[in-house]
Amino acid sequence: MAASAKVFLVITAVCASLSAGASVVHRDREASDFLAKKSTAPAPALGAAAAPEGLDSALPAVPQRSFSLAGGERAAALPLLMAVDGMRALAKRAHLREGDGAVAEALAVLGTFAIWVCLVLVVAVLYQKHRASLPVDLKQAQAKTKEEGFKHGAFSCLEEPKVFAWSFFCGPVRWADNMQAVGLLAYWLAIAAYLAVAFGDLITGGVIGWALVTAFFTYFRQALRKKFGLETSKEIILKDFGLWCCCAPCAITQETRHIEAAPKGAKADLA
């Protein structure tokens, strides 16, 4: 296995470990805070526990004195009082998750994203130094593929496991290399654009955010088609949109394989 591949696998494993660790630490901290608050709060007398709003009429009256199971009425009230106490505990825990827990969850997500960005940048530096693609000779490429489609099918990505692995685990780097090879975007500008779009999708979420992200990459896929003189139409635009929406690694792999098979220019032309 090549040294660059080993470095990539190590970085991927570290990223996964840090992400899982952040999630576990966050959940443990939330549980510890809840238990600490629960243990420091004064424990009310079982018979004097006040029911939540809406349940006052449902609770039988319990005198403010020592509780005894001698009376059948009080024995019957015990399960209900225990249920009320359990409801209070659940309500307190829900309040914690909606308040402090929500902030902690947001910080954990942002922290994980920051770690991912740092790892992407490290891999991007190593990739540019050791594996950057040569620029494509677009004139020769257009003469060979004009008015045709991509050289390989969208779902034949597993025919090139190495390319698919890069597209799946480190899409920003592989996509940026493609954009630079055909002269659409400079390498680091493409990296920054990919990360910015990923961050926008993180903070917006939902169908609308995902549709905008997909439209962004569909635009550059269409620009890539025009660079090679490939066939374009409204139907193809919809297909490209659907591919980026459902399987971005497949789209990146297909574009990469087409670029790798195209005639290359001189290394000095690489920006």
Side-chain angles (χ1 to χ4, degrees), residues 52 55 80 82-92:
L55 289 180
L80 183 57
M82 294 176 64
V84 169
D85 188 62
M87 291 169 61
R88 279 203 189 113
L90 290 175
K92 188 173 182 179

Side-chain angles (χ1 to χ4, degrees), residues 127-147:
Y127 190 95
Q128 187 185 39
K129 184 177 180 180
H130 299 288
R131 293 182 56 89
S133 299
L134 293 173
V136 175
D137 188 329
L138 294 173
K139 291 183 178 180
Q140 293 187 40
Q142 289 176 4
K144 290 184 177 181
T145 61
K146 191 173 180 62
E147 300 300 327

